[in-house]
Amino acid sequence: MTEQTERSLAERRPLGDPRPLGERRVWPRSFVDRLTAPLPGVRALARLAREGRLRPSPEALREVPALPVEPGPLPVVDAATTAVTWAGHASWVLRVGGLTVLTDPVWSRRILGTPPRLTPVGVRWEDLPPVDAVVISHNHYDHLDAPTLKRLPRDTPLLLPAGLARWARRRRFTRVTELDWWEAVELPGPAGPVRFDFVPAHHWSKRTLTDTCRSLWGGWVLTSPAGQRVYFAGDTGYGHWFSRIGDRYTGIDLALLPIGAYDPRWMLGPVHTDPEEAVLACQDLGARAMAPMHWSTFLLSAEPPLEPLHRVRAAWSATGRPRENLWDLPVGGSRVLTPGR
């Protein structure tokens, strides 16, 4: 039996038991074998510099004042309610099973190597309820923001990709759990345990000049005690993992999917979905609703600021799916997930 066949069979098996929280583990020195596309080399970087397509044109930047920003109060929820609030980029405030969970929290005004935020953070830090857990998708600076994490109590549970626990423990976090793909943990909540599964993504990791792919990357599936499921993709290109995740975690109610930072495609296509691919990924996942993210916050690529929104709306409309199931929230916007499919 080939390794690929073994993995395929493993993905169809029932979900495994959760692993212990805070478990100390030993990982491979590199996860480069998990890449689904080669990383760009010197020639690709030279071409990018030669073409000058690193940021939107000055004319396109005139769209920035029109980016949708509508901060509002967080929804009032109970332990039986699932609600999401978009803070911007890949940062969400998730209320699941009575827990408050932050995804890839970036409350900083700017990140390394990029201009300042285009839009303010959608939720003021002082307006957050106590944070019960943080999930991180990978270690790029726009997803793992040390200044934001430093604002948290050091006993906040951090759920991390394999290879990142040491980074967190060096910063004195005491409740750190790292997972491989298809592994899970549970956190106790007032209505019962909330399950967190770490799942594959088409991406990579790097934080310094010497740590390329030394830690893993991926997304998260959160399952409430009542069975509601939210999939947070993190950062990813389009590919086979979406259908495999959908096969393994049936009944996903909401998919939080990236739609920005995609231009030029020859460079960013393997690691960032464009709006049309995000809609296709939602279909592959079998998700009932989709909430776009990873746009309208930082200038990471060359597409005009409002283009991702226009294209995702058109792509969604072309599928014939109900318009109300595209949760194209403004920064600071919230929605409450109602039961049923």
Side-chain angles (χ1 to χ4, degrees):
M1 183 181 297
T2 66
E3 180 181 354
Q4 182 176 2
T5 302
E6 288 177 351
R7 286 186 179 179
S8 180
L9 290 173
E11 288 154 15
R12 291 196 292 267
R13 292 171 188 157
L15 300 183
D17 294 334
R19 298 192 69 93
L21 289 166
E23 183 180 16
R24 290 182 178 265
R25 306 174 68 177
V26 177
W27 301 105
R29 181 171 175 80
S30 173
F31 292 94
V32 70
D33 62 314
R34 307 290 186 93
L35 292 172
T36 47
L39 295 177
V42 174
R43 289 184 179 179
L45 297 177
R47 176 183 172 185
L48 189 66
R50 185 171 62 251
E51 292 180 354
R53 296 188 63 198
L54 298 173
R55 298 287 185 266
S57 68
E59 294 78 14
L61 288 176
R62 295 173 184 168
E63 298 178 357
V64 169
L67 291 172
V69 180
E70 296 179 19
L74 293 174
V76 177
V77 298
D78 56 26
T81 303
T82 298
V84 301
T85 302
W86 189 34
H89 202 52
S91 303
W92 294 86
V93 183
L94 306 183
R95 319 289 289 284
V96 181
L99 302 182
T100 296
V101 180
L102 302 184
T103 70
D104 289 359
V106 180
W107 262 249
S108 298
R109 181 172 177 266
R110 68 185 307 156
I111 55 174
L112 184 67
T114 69
R117 301 178 78 104
L118 300 175
T119 50
V121 184
V123 182
R124 297 189 309 168
W125 189 262
E126 54 268 32
D127 292 336
L128 287 172
V131 176
D132 297 297
V134 172
V135 298
I136 298 294
S137 64
H138 66 297
N139 71 352
H140 288 160
Y141 282 89
D142 59 322
H143 293 260
L144 179 62
D145 184 51
T148 299
L149 293 182
K150 286 180 181 178
R151 297 186 179 195
L152 293 165
R154 293 305 184 268
D155 62 350
T156 303
L158 301 187
L159 307 183
L160 306 173
L164 276 181
R166 183 179 178 186
W167 184 94
R169 291 186 178 117
R170 284 204 306 264
R171 287 153 181 81
R172 300 183 181 179
F173 285 94
T174 59
R175 301 175 67 187
V176 178
T177 303
E178 53 186 347
L179 296 177
D180 201 345
W181 290 345
W182 310 120
E183 293 182 342
V185 293
E186 289 183 345
L187 291 179
V194 177
R195 181 175 171 117
F196 297 76
D197 285 78
F198 187 55
V199 296
H202 299 275
H203 206 61
W204 64 301
S205 68
K206 182 182 180 70
R207 198 166 177 88
T208 71
L209 293 175
T210 60
D211 68 349
T212 302
C213 296
R214 294 285 181 86
S215 61
L216 200 50
W217 52 91
W220 294 88
V221 177
L222 282 65
T223 306
S224 75
Q228 289 185 321
R229 277 191 168 144
V230 176
Y231 165 67
F232 167 67
D235 211 350
T236 182
Y238 179 73
H240 64 278
W241 287 130
F242 293 111
S243 60
R244 296 188 186 183
I245 292 166
D247 289 343
R248 191 174 180 91
Y249 303 94
T250 57
I252 294 173
D253 294 281
L254 174 65
L256 311 175
L257 288 162
I259 65 167
Y262 52 77
D263 188 18
R265 292 311 287 153
W266 65 262
M267 176 78 169
L268 295 172
V271 294
H272 287 163
T273 50
D274 65 22
E276 294 79 13
E277 289 171 335
V279 171
L280 184 57
C282 183
Q283 294 176 298
D284 292 348
L285 290 161
R288 174 161 60 103
M290 169 184 164
M293 63 173 185
H294 208 265
W295 75 285
S296 187
T297 310
F298 296 109
L299 288 176
L300 301 177
S301 56
E303 73 270 6
L306 278 171
E307 183 180 279
L309 180 62
H310 298 322
R311 285 176 55 175
V312 79
R313 286 174 172 171
W316 188 269
S317 177
T319 68
R321 302 184 69 180
R323 177 61 178 85
E324 62 269 22
N325 287 348
L326 177 64
W327 294 12
D328 47 349
L329 299 175
V331 175
S334 300
R335 288 285 294 268
V336 176
L337 189 64
T338 56
R341 292 183 61 78

